Amino acid sequence: MELLISVIKIVVVMGVMLGIVAYVVLLERRLSAAIQNRIGPNRVGWQGLLQPIADVVKLVFKEDIVPLKSNRFIHDLAPIISLAVALTTFAVVPFGDKINLFGYDIKLQIADVNIGILFILALTSLGVYGLTLSGWSSNSKYALLGGVRSSAQMISYELSMGLAVLGVVMIAGSLQLDTIVEAQAGWKWNIILQPIGFITFVTAAFAETNRLPFDLPEAEPELVAGYHTEYSGMKFAAYYLSEYANMFVSSAIITTLYLGGWQVPFVHSFGFSDFWIGIIQVFGFLTKVILFVSFFIIIRWTIPRFRYDQLMNLGWKFMLPVSILNLLITGLVILLLS
Amino acid sequence: MNLVDIIFYFFALITLVSAAITVYSRNIIYSAFSLLFTFFGVAGIYVLLNADFIAVAQILIYVGGILMLLVFGVMLTHKVINVEIKTGILNVVPGSIITAIIGGTLCGVFVVTDWFIVEGVPPIKSTTTEIGTMFMTKYLLPFEIASVVLLVALIGAAYIARRDKSKNQSA
């Protein structure tokens, strides 16, 4: 029975997640259109709501072109790594409290790992392989430059990301994501307790997901399309999907670490039954995540791209000292309060 | 053979096969790449042994950091600059002697040692707390020495990088 529940959870979460990710693409297109005073895709279905389906059908039927002198095996493997890493990370994110369904207590989290945060950091550090290997195996200079940029960028920003997370870990006293969410009950969200950590973590998350202003690996005026220049068809779709899945997952992680996770303040004071409180909490979590995804998108159309040296200076000379300072201050405050 | 055994042999197979590819491959990028699977297999065995922290640290540090730098270096030199990086077989006799000695010692230790096997240990709830406490109390000195070694390596790397730069400027 345990196994069956786990399988059902995995299938449901994957389905919902892929659906949301497909509609995040639409959200990005509509939102960017609104920001640029355009209309955007609104022809397929009501307000363009069927556009993701049309896109998927188009991509499935496209020809898969592999460059002649590329390394076929790695060229095929790279998008798989990217997508697998992006989708696996969500496994440890708790998206709700326990919920009682048909007499079974179901924990709304696929895998409750003791070392949840480290698991996330380890997996995000694997994501860089998808980009780097695609850049190398394509045997194209633009793709290679994109891959090199992405590996340098992601290694640099992983440091400040890890240090920012440590502040949260110190407050909760655990690496388990569930405990971290429970420590943020009520209004004790980490965004209030850890404002500097929040800002550094969000900046690092932008860099890790290769979104503007950190999208140097695919800077289109310089590198055509960067690391995925030589990809087409479903393999390109895998990259496209993993970019948006990464965005969704990072928003989910930021929500879990800093915005209280599935906690909805004062939900217990309205006298709902436990089941409905569980449902409200799941929707609260999803709302926070979608709002943060919108923030990602709005930032993309607001801030221009960094130059490469600016990116490295920001990462090593500003973000790293600031996150170490944040760590020291957090430790000092915890020591004084205890 | 129960499930744990099957999983163990699965990870052991991954580790051994990919390690063999790492050593025998003629193409250096394949070597670097199959090393990824070696680290993975080892991490899997750590998880099987309930050492979750070490498993994740293994992936975080070796796969995410060290191997990435290796691949990065290979990518920047291989095919970009006209330097052929090839792996060849050198020094067959001394190599096989040293390997035989190490292999023999390991096998000997494996056979001779009276292994300390504890059955039915309850799973430890949080390994990280224990590891952290141990590092800060019992093993403080080795822990600090390791950090000093890392600092020395950092200073050395910075020194080498800086020295080359100043030489080029004066020339």
Side-chain angles (χ1 to χ4, degrees):
Chain A
M1 202 61 217
E2 284 281 303
L3 197 70
L4 190 70
I5 290 176
S6 291
V7 170
I8 292 171
K9 265 197 291 194
I10 291 169
V11 170
V12 169
V13 169
M14 279 293 276
V16 170
M17 199 175 141
L18 285 175
I20 289 177
V21 167
Y23 277 92
V24 168
V25 177
L26 182 70
L27 180 72
E28 158 118 59
R29 295 180 67 183
R30 292 295 301 219
L31 212 58
S32 63
I35 290 170
Q36 295 168 339
N37 216 358
R38 295 185 282 120
I39 296 171
N42 68 341
R43 293 302 167 93
V44 193
W46 181 76
Q47 290 294 316
L49 274 181
L50 296 176
Q51 183 71 38
I53 298 164
D55 282 346
V56 169
V57 170
K58 182 197 80 175
L59 283 165
V60 167
F61 285 110
K62 261 193 164 181
E63 187 190 352
D64 174 36
I65 301 163
V66 181
L68 194 62
K69 286 203 168 178
S70 66
N71 190 320
R72 184 69 201 250
F73 177 66
I74 298 182
H75 194 266
D76 287 348
L77 197 66
I80 300 176
I81 296 179
S82 260
L83 192 57
V85 166
L87 295 178
T88 319
T89 317
F90 195 76
V92 293
V93 176
F95 50 91
D97 204 357
K98 281 197 188 74
I99 198 166
N100 196 302
L101 213 61
F102 310 119
Y104 292 103
D105 263 341
I106 297 171
K107 201 173 167 69
L108 293 179
Q109 180 182 19
I110 293 175
D112 190 13
V113 193
N114 270 331
I115 40 158
I117 285 188
L118 283 177
F119 181 85
I120 288 172
L121 286 178
L123 273 183
T124 44
S125 73
L126 291 183
V128 64
Y129 280 95
L131 274 59
T132 314
L133 289 174
S134 75
W136 182 81
S137 65
S138 300
N139 208 3
S140 141
K141 57 188 166 195
Y142 299 119
L144 182 74
L145 280 172
V148 168
R149 281 183 181 185
S150 79
S151 43
Q153 173 179 325
M154 285 169 106
I155 289 176
S156 309
Y157 280 85
E158 230 157 57
L159 276 170
S160 8
M161 195 176 205
L163 285 171
V165 166
L166 274 183
V168 176
V169 173
M170 280 162 85
I171 288 176
S174 171
L175 293 166
Q176 211 165 349
L177 288 169
D178 219 30
T179 322
I180 290 170
V181 172
E182 267 154 29
Q184 303 179 64
W187 276 108
K188 279 191 289 177
W189 290 6
N190 278 330
I191 186 174
I192 299 161
L193 301 173
Q194 283 276 312
I196 304 171
F198 175 72
I199 292 166
T200 41
F201 189 87
V202 170
T203 316
F206 272 85
E208 293 278 317
T209 47
N210 294 314
R211 294 282 299 180
L212 260 163
F214 298 100
D215 73 335
L216 284 111
E218 44 184 317
E220 58 273 1
E222 308 155 35
L223 298 179
V224 189
Y227 60 91
H228 58 55
T229 306
E230 305 292 343
Y231 281 87
S232 61
M234 272 319 276
K235 283 197 278 186
F236 168 74
Y239 272 117
Y240 202 64
L241 198 63
S242 66
E243 183 191 335
Y244 285 90
N246 268 328
M247 220 161 91
F248 177 75
V249 171
S250 344
S251 304
I253 293 167
I254 291 166
T255 308
T256 307
L257 293 180
Y258 292 99
L259 303 177
W262 41 259
Q263 307 267 10
V264 179
F266 312 121
V267 71
H268 290 285
S269 52
F270 293 112
F272 291 117
S273 70
D274 279 354
F275 178 77
W276 285 108
I277 285 177
I279 300 287
I280 288 168
Q281 282 171 336
V282 172
F283 276 96
F285 176 77
L286 280 178
T287 314
K288 287 181 203 172
V289 173
I290 297 296
L291 282 177
F292 213 86
V293 168
S294 314
F295 177 67
F296 261 88
I297 294 168
I298 292 168
I299 288 288
R300 176 172 180 187
W301 301 102
T302 312
I303 303 178
R305 182 179 303 126
F306 280 120
R307 220 168 50 220
Y308 197 68
D309 57 322
Q310 292 173 327
L311 173 95
M312 284 297 153
N313 276 342
L314 180 73
W316 289 101
K317 292 183 183 165
F318 181 73
M319 297 260 294
L320 194 62
V322 164
S323 39
I324 292 174
L325 198 69
N326 178 47
L327 202 62
L328 285 177
I329 293 170
T330 312
L332 200 67
V333 171
I334 289 176
L335 195 69
L336 289 179
L337 288 181
S338 63
Chain B
M1 203 146 85
N2 57 16
L3 193 66
V4 176
D5 284 345
I6 295 170
I7 296 170
F8 171 77
Y9 283 117
F10 175 70
F11 282 125
L13 193 75
I14 290 179
T15 314
L16 287 179
V17 170
S18 58
I21 295 171
T22 309
V23 177
Y24 291 115
S25 169
R26 294 273 165 172
N27 187 337
I28 191 126
I29 194 105
Y30 282 139
S31 291
F33 197 52
S34 63
L35 199 58
L36 173 75
F37 291 96
T38 315
F39 288 142
F40 250 120
V42 175
I45 291 175
Y46 280 139
V47 172
L48 205 63
L49 293 171
N50 267 335
D52 48 2
F53 177 75
I54 302 177
V56 171
Q58 161 96 4
I59 291 181
L60 198 62
I61 294 163
Y62 283 96
V63 181
I66 292 172
L67 187 61
M68 197 58 236
L69 280 181
L70 262 175
V71 173
F72 196 54
V74 170
M75 267 186 15
L76 279 175
T77 46
H78 192 58
K79 281 187 180 175
V80 175
I81 311 167
N82 260 343
V83 184
E84 282 283 301
I85 309 172
K86 270 190 184 157
T87 48
I89 299 170
L90 298 165
N91 296 333
V92 181
V93 178
S96 38
I97 292 171
I98 293 170
T99 324
I101 293 172
I102 294 174
T105 318
L106 285 175
C107 290
V109 169
F110 182 73
V111 174
V112 170
T113 312
D114 188 17
W115 290 102
F116 182 67
I117 298 168
V118 189
E119 301 246 351
V121 186
I124 304 159
K125 270 207 96 174
S126 164
T127 48
T128 41
T129 329
E130 299 285 317
I131 292 173
T133 318
M134 280 305 200
F135 268 149
M136 283 298 140
T137 52
K138 199 175 171 190
Y139 300 105
L140 186 62
L141 193 64
F143 185 61
E144 287 301 320
I145 288 174
S147 71
V148 171
V149 169
L150 284 176
L151 185 67
V152 169
L154 265 177
I155 294 171
Y159 175 69
I160 292 169
R162 294 272 162 168
R163 189 182 54 183
D164 279 351
K165 203 178 172 187
S166 63
K167 209 181 265 176
N168 284 342
Q169 277 169 351
S170 63

